[in-house]
Amino acid sequence: MSMYGRDPWGGPLEINAADSATEDERSRNLNDYDRAALSNSRPLDETQQSWLLGQGEQQKKKKYVDLGCIIVSRKIFVWTVGTVLVCGLLAGLVTLIVKTVPRHHRGRSPPDNYTLALHKSLMFFNAQRSGKLPKHNNVSWRGNSCLQDGKSDSSSVMKDLVGGYYDAGDAIKFNFPASFAMTMLSWSVIEYSAKYEAAGELSHVKEIIKWGTDYFLKTFNSSADTIDSVAAQVGSGDTSGGSTTSNDHYCWMRPEDIDYPRPVTVCHSCSDLAAEMAAALAAASIVFKDNKAYSQKLVHGAKTLFHFSRLQRGRYSAGGSEAAIFYNSTSYWDEFIWGGAWLYYATGNSSYLQLATTPGLAKHAGAFWGGPDYGVLSWDNKLAGAQVLLSRLRLFLSPGYPYEEMLRTFHNQTSIIMCSYLPIFTSFNRTKGGLIQLNHGRPQPLQYVVNAAFLATVFSDYLDAADTPGWYCGPNFYSTDVLRDFARTQIDYILGKNPRKMSYIVGFGEHYPRHAHHRGASIPKNKVKYNCKGGWKWRDTSKPNPNTLVGAMVAGPDRRDGFHDVRSNYNYTEPTLAGNAGLVAALVALSGDGSAKIDKNTIFSAVPPMFPTPPPPPAPWKP
């Protein structure tokens, strides 16, 4: 029987009379209900919770800290927070001490000898400038000179031939060795721009190159696609037969004081000169690739010159020309390979590569036979340089058929040349002091030595960049370090590590030549204009030059390590553009701490991808 009553709050209340539960059981049930209600109602404060929680649960709560995501022991929490605060305090204290205690900065390590010599050797080109000089030329004893070049020769088609560089100690502008010099400088910039940058000389060397290429563009109709003549030389130096005609060899005058006629030599059949000038413009176009307009102008000029060189076959120094006395060219086949290689790199046009890898050209250039001068790079013979340049293509791009056979030949010949530089081979003699005799004891050896040092260094850098540790000389394998050691020993000899303890670079070291065969350096800048013969007293005096021709590499010692510091003997004391260009290239290649490597990619910036065009996709399938 059940009874129903009313809840005092107005709700029904059911009482089960049959429920015989004890009072304790009802108390436990109510306790369960209360806990359930806690979970569904608003949170209770600590006092309210203490009514409901037993004493054990309160103690349990004090031992732990609820961090939301996790519950951790209060003791661990306190220790953790304390440790973090102490560590932060210590770190702040250490930072404060480090910042307040004065520090001694380690200065940069001093530049190596190669970098020091590089700074000076570039200055030689500033001293050789012809025309209206820039304000920042930094050679105090030089001024504007020969501002009538081209205009004073009524027979010359090119009326503005102002500018360029004087070749050596005289004031003649020989375009054949000068263009080789600019090609070598451009090659060194392309490979080692980072080293020039590190030495602070990149803008300077580019300015030197541009001074040369700006002048070359004046020596022919550079805006035309076809030409029939090129200016080969400005000035004259023939004194044969006892001639007393005033010219650049008979007279001894400062270039600024020249008042005699300067004839222009023009050639209509000069493959060697035109191809070398094309190489110079093409190489420079890569150096100035960021100046798009100027680079394209150089490329166009290079194409025009090379086309002319191929159409009008002949040596520029043939036919009893004056050039044969001073810079006689033995052939033009090597210039075809050299110029073709540079034009390929500058344009990416494969027709130039096809020409440069033509077996017939290589045969005429002497690529398949030895001879006493094989492997000697000079202003006359560029074959060794061309072979190294084309070996670069094989090492990094490997174009394959149809070029692979000749490129492999050039690569193998380059390896043989590198072997010939090593002391264990007898291709070339050496002086007792260790200087390699690439010109077999003839005078003026250093210009050949510096070119070989550059080729050895750049080839070793090519091998390193291609992850090749060395090369074979017959059955023997040699490390690339051997090549760099050869280059170092030769350049060190020039810098002073020789039996005479003498530097052959003017202004470098304590003991260097004081009587360089150079007109501008030997005549004081004293506001006196010495006429043609009036300067002879300065030529013949035993006193040192009043002006220091900083950075000039003189012709060099004889085959017995002997050297006579005499102004009148040009075989010892005369510097040249081509010689100094090779020196600059070798110095920058050897400079630095070894961290800067060659620039593998810039030379290929115009070269298209080597892989063939993929075949067209097949036609869609039809059932």
Side-chain angles (χ1 to χ4, degrees), residues 324-336:
I325 304 172
F326 306 109
Y327 286 102
N328 182 48
S329 173
T330 52
S331 81
Y332 50 74
W333 302 104
D334 53 308
E335 279 84 15
F336 281 162

Side-chain angles (χ1 to χ4, degrees), residues 176 180 276 334-335 338 377-386:
F176 190 51
F180 171 72
E276 179 55 70
D334 53 308
E335 279 84 15
W338 177 246
L377 175 63
S378 71
W379 52 264
D380 178 33
N381 190 349
K382 288 90 182 184
L383 178 62

Side-chain angles (χ1 to χ4, degrees), residues 451-521:
N451 289 341
F454 171 70
L455 290 187
T457 307
V458 79
F459 186 66
S460 71
D461 285 342
Y462 288 169
L463 294 179
D464 287 343
D467 295 324
T468 306
W471 85 110
Y472 280 96
C473 295
N476 300 317
F477 185 83
Y478 292 94
S479 163
T480 55
D481 292 337
V482 175
L483 280 178
R484 296 187 74 86
D485 288 342
F486 158 74
R488 285 193 190 98
T489 58
Q490 299 305 303
I491 298 301
D492 288 348
Y493 182 104
I494 295 170
L495 296 183
K497 196 176 287 187
N498 54 62
R500 298 182 64 88
K501 308 298 181 190
M502 182 177 193
S503 160
Y504 291 108
I505 300 175
V506 176
F508 183 83
E510 297 297 325
H511 185 35
Y512 56 82
R514 309 282 174 166
H515 303 80
H517 181 92
H518 192 275
R519 301 195 306 180

Side-chain angles (χ1 to χ4, degrees), residues 51 73 92 125 168 179 243 287 324 329 337-338 342 382 384 431 451 482 488 529 607:
W51 298 341
S73 167
F125 293 91
S179 51
S243 172
V287 171
S329 173
I337 301 174
W338 177 246
W342 278 115
K382 288 90 182 184
T431 67
N451 289 341
V482 175
R488 285 193 190 98
K529 180 178 178 179
V607 175

Side-chain angles (χ1 to χ4, degrees), residues 57-124:
E57 287 189 74
Q58 289 186 55
Q59 291 175 351
K60 182 180 179 182
K61 181 173 179 62
K62 289 179 182 178
K63 291 180 181 179
Y64 295 93
V65 177
D66 188 352
L67 298 178
C69 301
I70 57 173
I71 298 175
V72 298
S73 167
R74 183 175 295 274
K75 184 182 292 186
I76 294 175
F77 176 75
V78 171
W79 272 102
T80 302
V81 172
T83 304
V84 170
L85 289 174
V86 171
C87 290
L89 186 63
L90 288 174
L93 186 61
V94 170
T95 304
L96 184 64
I97 293 171
V98 169
K99 287 191 174 184
T100 54
V101 173
R103 286 176 292 176
H104 298 283
H105 294 280
R106 286 183 62 189
R108 284 187 178 182
S109 57
D112 55 86
N113 273 350
Y114 306 126
T115 302
L116 291 172
L118 175 66
H119 294 311
K120 294 183 181 295
S121 60
L122 285 169
M123 284 302 299
F124 172 72

Side-chain angles (χ1 to χ4, degrees), residues 303-327:
K303 289 179 178 177
T304 300
L305 283 167
F306 199 70
H307 181 64
F308 169 66
S309 76
R310 296 285 293 158
L311 285 178
Q312 302 295 330
R313 300 290 181 91
R315 291 186 302 116
Y316 93 107
S317 57
S321 67
E322 188 178 283
I325 304 172
F326 306 109
Y327 286 102

Side-chain angles (χ1 to χ4, degrees), residues 194-221:
K195 290 191 174 187
Y196 276 114
E197 186 76 58
E201 292 286 2
L202 183 58
S203 60
H204 184 197
V205 70
K206 289 174 73 172
E207 182 189 350
I208 288 169
I209 294 168
K210 191 174 187 297
W211 190 269
T213 53
D214 283 349
Y215 168 72
F216 295 149
L217 291 172
K218 295 180 176 182
T219 62
F220 67 102
N221 186 356

